[in-house]
Amino acid sequence: MERCYRRFVEGTELEKRERSLVLDLGGADLNGSYRDLFRAPCFDYIGADIAPGEGVSLVLGSPYEIPLEDASVDIVLSGQMLEHCEFFWQSFAEMVRVLKPSGFIFLIAPSAGPEHRYPVDCYRFYPDAYRALARYAGCELVDVWRDARGPWEDLVGVFRRKDAPPLAARALPPREAEPAPPAIPGSAEEEAAAGSTPVPEVLQELHRTLKPRACLEIGARDAAFLSLAHCPALGIGPHAGALQGLPENVRTVAAASGDFFFGRGNEPVTDPAPDLIFLDGSRFFECVLHDFMQAERLSSPASLVVVNHALPNHPAQGARARSAQLWAGEVWKLYDALRIQRPDLVLIPLDANPAGLLLVGGLDRKNDLLWKGFNWVVDEYGRGRDVPPPEILSRGIARAPSPEFIGGIARLLRKEREQGARVFRVREKLRQFVKESAAAQA
């Protein structure tokens, strides 16, 4: 729904006029509300549902009769309601009836997922269903897309009336999806850095010994990683377009990762697949998880993902709400999520300065477990796990990123790549190397 808002409402007349009426059908606040997206003073927001509840300002006597005049609403929303509506086409026709010629209908409904009766669960929707709805109600389907993240794999549709004015093409501006640093630093403990080796030195050793054929950075904030590349490299991030002094082999795209990957599917971004992928994007858990999923989808069996800020040094550094300038956010949750949800992967936390690194090897671009369970995983790790556990804060799980250790991993992956890497063999050899190096260190 936020993407709908950004693409079709933000900066338009709907946001600039004195008053715009928004109708949310199925607007009871059960798992959050779309009301937060319409914070501008111009929006009058009506939450409509068939029973009283939080967020409901209009109780409907029938889901098929909206007590509003024809062409009186600027934006009609309906999210995760249509599957519970027995005669959904009648409800949709009412949405079209109350819509102004200049307005939009934003419709979200699942295309997959388990039964969830409220009080009934009747349907799942595919793109042709929205096309059929548009023909039935005599309106225009402007856009439709299906979210690959499960379990619901939501289908999103944007509709307008047939007498709507022409729609101007608009590009999404780059947007940083995380809070700005606080004006006043935290305490010395909250701002403390730790780690035996600075992150740039670890990256330099990986570039030197892995000799990647292609590189990718998701969340490019500075030139530290990309400037090391001696191969085709791509940097994606809201600030990537402003990076200076990069070699000619580096290409940058100024876009948030969610916007860049939207609608791309399995389309490659480098040729060959990136051997080294650095994740330094948004530090909210749902975002870093999605960035990792995109990275794995683009990988080869011998690729290595490097996740920045994986080991915060203080609870304030690992909190979702930012109160420290050295802020790792919820990146630390990725380690535990992958450890439980994807035990097939090889996870190697590193005691790097300032806030740790996580190496992930044994990638399998065909594995879709995280995609199918995305929303469940976000719910599991996004709620009630607000403080990093002791093993994260103490770095008890981390290895010292010595040149010998980092170089050994890189040389192993490079050799496997040259011999035609196979996922299971790469995993076995990585685990064996980590085990043997730990024994030698002991």
Side-chain angles (χ1 to χ4, degrees), residues 317-434:
Q317 295 179 18
R320 185 175 180 90
R322 185 169 191 173
S323 61
Q325 291 186 338
L326 178 51
W327 181 64
E330 299 177 302
V331 179
W332 59 270
K333 295 182 179 181
L334 183 67
Y335 171 76
D336 198 42
L338 296 181
R339 183 177 63 87
I340 300 300
Q341 305 295 330
R342 289 288 306 279
D344 54 315
L345 295 170
V346 181
L347 309 177
I348 308 172
L350 295 179
D351 183 28
N353 187 291
L357 291 171
L358 174 64
L359 305 185
V360 186
L363 303 163
D364 181 1
R365 65 189 303 168
K366 295 180 180 179
N367 190 307
D368 61 356
L369 288 176
L370 292 174
W371 288 94
K372 288 183 176 179
F374 178 83
N375 285 287
W376 285 335
V377 175
V378 169
D379 286 345
E380 173 67 20
Y381 293 91
R383 300 176 183 176
R385 301 192 187 194
D386 301 324
V387 179
E391 61 267 25
I392 292 289
L393 295 172
S394 68
R395 302 203 177 184
I397 60 173
R399 293 291 303 271
S402 65
E404 295 77 18
F405 184 66
I406 298 301
I409 291 173
R411 283 187 288 270
L412 186 157
L413 291 174
R414 192 178 79 216
K415 183 178 179 180
E416 288 299 308
R417 181 182 77 210
E418 292 168 352
Q419 294 179 351
R422 299 182 65 178
V423 174
F424 293 106
R425 189 174 67 190
V426 169
R427 290 171 178 170
E428 180 182 358
K429 293 198 172 185
L430 275 175
R431 290 192 174 97
Q432 182 180 359
F433 173 81
V434 172

Side-chain angles (χ1 to χ4, degrees), residues 114-394:
E115 183 180 16
H116 57 293
R117 304 179 73 218
Y118 194 80
V120 295
D121 185 9
C122 303
Y123 306 102
R124 295 294 179 268
F125 296 84
Y126 299 107
D128 282 344
Y130 283 3
R131 296 184 183 102
L133 273 178
R135 290 196 300 272
Y136 171 78
C139 64
E140 177 187 3
L141 178 63
V142 176
D143 202 356
V144 61
W145 67 88
R146 189 177 177 188
D147 192 333
R149 293 170 292 186
W152 309 114
E153 299 180 23
D154 284 323
L155 186 71
V156 185
V158 179
F159 302 82
R160 301 182 82 201
R161 285 177 38 162
K162 284 193 173 180
D163 57 350
L167 189 61
R170 301 175 66 243
L172 288 178
R175 172 180 291 183
E176 183 64 78
E178 62 183 39
I184 302 175
S187 66
E189 292 80 11
E190 291 173 335
E191 299 289 356
S196 58
T197 306
V199 166
E201 291 186 18
V202 178
L203 298 177
Q204 186 175 23
E205 182 63 24
L206 283 171
H207 273 278
R208 187 181 71 83
T209 51
L210 183 61
K211 300 186 186 304
R213 300 165 302 172
C215 294
L216 171 66
E217 180 173 5
I218 298 178
R221 300 167 184 267
D222 54 48
F225 175 79
L226 294 171
S227 62
L228 298 170
H230 296 283
C231 60
L234 172 64
I236 304 161
H239 309 296
L243 299 183
Q244 301 292 324
L246 293 172
E248 293 183 357
N249 53 289
V250 176
R251 180 170 66 93
T252 60
V253 177
S257 60
D259 294 335
F260 176 82
F261 288 111
F262 175 71
R264 296 183 72 94
N266 294 318
E267 179 185 345
V269 298
T270 63
D271 185 22
D275 295 317
L276 188 58
I277 304 172
F278 187 46
L279 301 189
D280 195 22
S282 174
R283 296 166 197 175
F284 295 139
F285 173 62
E286 65 273 18
C287 297
V288 71
L289 176 62
H290 189 236
D291 285 348
F292 172 79
M293 290 157 49
Q294 294 286 5
E296 185 176 32
R297 177 181 272 183
L298 298 169
S299 69
S300 69
S303 297
L304 183 68
V305 171
V306 184
V307 185
N308 201 10
H309 293 98
L311 300 172
N313 309 296
H314 188 279
Q317 295 179 18
R320 185 175 180 90
R322 185 169 191 173
S323 61
Q325 291 186 338
L326 178 51
W327 181 64
E330 299 177 302
V331 179
W332 59 270
K333 295 182 179 181
L334 183 67
Y335 171 76
D336 198 42
L338 296 181
R339 183 177 63 87
I340 300 300
Q341 305 295 330
R342 289 288 306 279
D344 54 315
L345 295 170
V346 181
L347 309 177
I348 308 172
L350 295 179
D351 183 28
N353 187 291
L357 291 171
L358 174 64
L359 305 185
V360 186
L363 303 163
D364 181 1
R365 65 189 303 168
K366 295 180 180 179
N367 190 307
D368 61 356
L369 288 176
L370 292 174
W371 288 94
K372 288 183 176 179
F374 178 83
N375 285 287
W376 285 335
V377 175
V378 169
D379 286 345
E380 173 67 20
Y381 293 91
R383 300 176 183 176
R385 301 192 187 194
D386 301 324
V387 179
E391 61 267 25
I392 292 289
L393 295 172
S394 68

Side-chain angles (χ1 to χ4, degrees), residues 70-116:
D70 295 357
S72 60
V73 179
D74 294 284
I75 301 170
V76 181
L77 318 175
S78 180
Q80 292 78 36
M81 179 278 286
L82 226 59
E83 72 270 27
H84 304 293
C85 187
E86 292 179 312
F87 310 111
F88 63 86
W89 52 92
Q90 296 183 22
S91 181
F92 182 77
E94 275 290 273
M95 299 181 204
V96 176
R97 180 186 66 80
V98 301
L99 186 67
K100 290 183 180 179
S102 59
F104 291 95
I105 296 173
F106 300 142
L107 198 61
I108 304 177
S111 68
E115 183 180 16
H116 57 293

